[in-house]
């Protein structure tokens, strides 16, 4: 619930996106298996996981005593609201106010569940980042400077699990694909015996564009594979099929899991058949200059329109931009001019290189050059 002192912008700043009840219920129903389980919620927010956990514990043992509910919450008003909401349901919980990376919950827990704060690396800076990196490093995981807050949070959360314990978290779908999460993926397969990821075809957080997955991990590792379940939305969480994926290198991206079985098999046969290689074998790709000048981008219609190669007959075979300016860094060399009417393959030949200027909107023009056999016929 939003209050005047905790507006949406403030929640976003600290990475707080509170969890739909059906997601919290799925996670805790999977994770809690005994009425005596001790449960830790390291970012309890407004008690979605606490309430679901209390109800699960009570369902397992009627009206008898239940296991301990313990939480950590950075935002003091949310912590107090969580305690009050849990008490209103007839349960008892202890919530420590503070940074989870500095928290010291008592003992180890059978279950750790929650929805870690999501702060992108641009906002996860200074001492907050340093605390997160130290916490991850204590578990043997080195996180780089591009890691968002959730990555360190996941690693640190496992340090509070008792042997054979269960970890259930709502995480950004970045877990599957981004480079900075490679150490986290490797850590999960090394740490747990069983790792499952639940994917959603539709977004499950109202008003939030970030796609999420559920991470369900248990037991003592390592394992060489992870399991994937896919549902359309939160309403389909009661019917989870399972597929297995073997990533090879434990830190490799898990994006194969996004493909149907037939697509994954086809891609695997292509990439492992020797016909393809990685771009790094040819060079070192890098991010070029980012200007933010979006007006120079091609529209969808322009990007799909047939190319219209063009040469300036006054250029004597020298590449020019669509605006008529010389291409930077190239020396004039006499070449034989060609009429633009010669067709898409028309070009000016000099030695064994033919160059063709293609259509484009940027002032610098778009051009490419292709090597031809020295015996190719002159155009």
């Amino acid at each position: 619930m939003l209050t005047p002192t905790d507006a949406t912008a403030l929640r976003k700043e600290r990475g707080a996106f509170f969890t739909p009840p059906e997601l919290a219920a799925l996670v805790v129903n999977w994770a809690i298996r005994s009425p005596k389980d001790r449960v830790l919620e390291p970012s309890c927010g407004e008690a979605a996981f606490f309430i679901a956990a209390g109800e699960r514990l009570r369902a397992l043992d009627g009206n008898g005593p239940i296991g301990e509910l313990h939480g950590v919450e950075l935002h003091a008003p949310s912590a107090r609201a969580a305690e009050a909401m849990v008490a209103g349901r007839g349960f008892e919980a202890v919530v420590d106010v503070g940074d989870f990376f500095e928290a010291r919950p008592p003992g180890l827990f059978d279950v750790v569940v929650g929805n870690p704060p999501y702060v992108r690396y641009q906002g996860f800076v200074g001492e907050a980042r340093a605390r997160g990196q130290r916490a991850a490093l204590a578990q043997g995981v080195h996180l780089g400077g591009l890691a968002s807050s959730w990555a360190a949070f996941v690693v640190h959360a496992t340090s509070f699990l008792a042997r054979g314990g269960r970890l259930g978290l709502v995480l950004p779908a970045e877990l599957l694909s981004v480079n900075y999460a490679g150490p986290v993926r490797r850590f999960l397969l090394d740490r747990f015996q069983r790792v499952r990821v639940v994917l959603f075809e539709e977004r499950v957080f109202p008003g939030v564009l970030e796609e999420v997955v559920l991470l369900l991990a248990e037991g003592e590792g390592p394992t060489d594979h992870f399991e994937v379940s896919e549902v359309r939305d939160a309403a389909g969480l009661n019917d989870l099929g399972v597929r297995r994926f073997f990533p090879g290198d434990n830190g490799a991206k898990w994006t194969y899991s996004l493909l149907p079985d037939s697509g994954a098999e086809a891609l695997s046969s292509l990439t492992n058949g020797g016909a393809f290689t990685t771009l790094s074998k040819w060079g070192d790709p890098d991010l070029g200059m980012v200007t933010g000048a979006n007006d120079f981008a091609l529209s969808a219609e322009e990007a799909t329109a047939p190319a219209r190669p063009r040469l300036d007959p006054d250029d004597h075979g020298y590449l020019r931009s669509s605006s008529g300016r010389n291409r930077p860094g190239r020396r004039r060399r006499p070449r034989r001019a060609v009429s633009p009417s010669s067709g898409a393959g028309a070009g000016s030949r000099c030695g064994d290189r033919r160059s063709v200027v293609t259509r484009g909107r940027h002032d610098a023009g778009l051009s490419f050059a292709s090597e031809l056999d020295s015996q190719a016929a002159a155009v």
Side-chain angles (χ1 to χ4, degrees):
M1 109 188 113
L2 284 174
T3 67
T5 59
D6 192 26
T8 300
L10 296 177
R11 290 187 172 189
K12 183 176 180 180
E13 183 178 341
R14 67 177 189 272
F17 299 96
F18 296 132
T19 311
E22 56 269 34
L23 284 186
L26 172 77
V27 173
V28 301
N29 289 344
W30 168 84
I32 298 176
R33 301 174 187 179
S34 165
K36 306 301 183 185
D37 278 346
R38 300 184 74 234
V39 181
L40 173 66
E41 214 291 44
S43 56
C44 65
E46 289 180 350
F49 285 92
F50 266 170
I51 292 172
E55 292 175 348
R56 171 65 170 170
L57 291 169
R58 180 60 50 80
L60 289 172
D61 197 21
N63 293 320
I66 61 175
E68 177 185 342
L69 298 178
H70 198 102
V72 181
E73 172 56 41
L74 180 64
H75 186 244
S78 293
R80 301 289 79 86
E83 288 182 325
M85 293 178 71
V86 172
R89 299 295 185 99
F91 310 119
E92 183 178 346
V94 177
V95 181
D96 296 333
V97 178
D99 188 330
F100 176 54
F101 295 125
E102 296 184 319
R104 297 292 182 268
L108 297 177
F109 295 82
D110 304 293
V111 172
V112 176
V113 292
N115 178 6
Y118 179 62
V119 181
R120 292 185 182 276
Y121 76 93
Q122 297 95 330
F124 187 47
V125 296
E127 184 55 31
R129 173 180 294 280
R131 288 193 295 268
Q133 289 178 327
R134 286 195 297 269
L137 196 57
Q139 302 303 310
V141 178
H142 174 75
L143 295 176
L146 297 181
S148 297
S149 60
W150 67 266
F153 200 98
V154 170
V155 177
H156 187 50
T158 65
S159 67
F160 296 99
L161 277 176
R163 184 172 179 81
R166 296 168 295 280
L167 178 72
L169 300 175
V170 180
L171 298 178
E174 291 179 357
L175 167 68
L176 307 176
S177 59
V178 295
N179 289 331
Y180 76 72
V184 180
R185 293 189 289 267
R186 182 179 299 109
F187 172 77
L188 291 172
L189 296 182
D190 287 341
R191 170 63 176 79
F192 293 100
Q193 180 184 35
R194 187 180 185 192
V195 177
R196 181 190 295 189
V197 177
V198 180
L199 310 177
F200 298 92
E201 295 179 8
E202 298 179 358
R203 291 185 174 90
V204 295
F205 280 77
V208 178
L209 296 179
E210 183 67 37
E211 295 182 1
V212 301
V213 299
L214 301 185
L215 172 67
L216 309 175
E218 62 180 311
E220 300 300 312
T223 182
D224 61 352
H225 68 279
F226 65 99
E227 300 173 357
V228 174
S229 300
E230 187 169 4
V231 296
R232 177 171 297 278
D233 51 30
L237 288 172
N238 293 324
D239 184 21
L240 297 178
V242 175
R243 295 181 292 158
R244 288 186 174 188
F245 286 87
F246 295 80
D249 174 10
N250 283 356
K253 294 182 179 181
W254 292 358
T255 44
Y256 271 100
S257 63
L258 302 176
L259 297 173
D261 289 339
S262 59
E265 291 173 2
L267 180 59
S268 179
S269 64
L270 285 173
T271 55
N272 296 327
F276 293 89
T277 187
T278 60
L279 187 59
S280 61
K281 297 288 187 182
W282 293 83
D284 297 318
D286 197 7
L287 181 65
M289 181 180 294
V290 179
T291 67
N294 294 331
D295 289 343
F296 287 117
L298 292 176
S299 67
E301 293 77 12
E302 291 170 320
T304 56
R308 294 185 297 177
R310 175 177 66 83
L311 288 177
D312 188 335
D314 296 328
D315 190 39
H316 302 293
Y318 178 69
L319 286 176
R320 298 175 66 88
S321 72
S322 58
S323 64
R325 284 185 283 183
N326 290 340
R327 185 181 177 191
R330 295 291 298 273
R331 185 178 60 184
R332 277 190 175 275
R333 296 172 64 182
R335 293 186 181 180
R336 195 172 152 191
V338 179
S339 167
S341 63
S342 299
S348 296
R349 183 171 179 270
C350 179
D352 62 352
R353 179 177 293 273
R354 176 184 293 175
S355 300
V356 180
V357 179
T358 61
R359 174 174 177 267
R361 286 181 58 189
H362 195 289
D363 281 346
L366 301 175
S367 64
F368 67 90
S370 60
E371 296 291 342
L372 299 178
D373 185 90
S374 59
Q375 301 301 317
V379 179

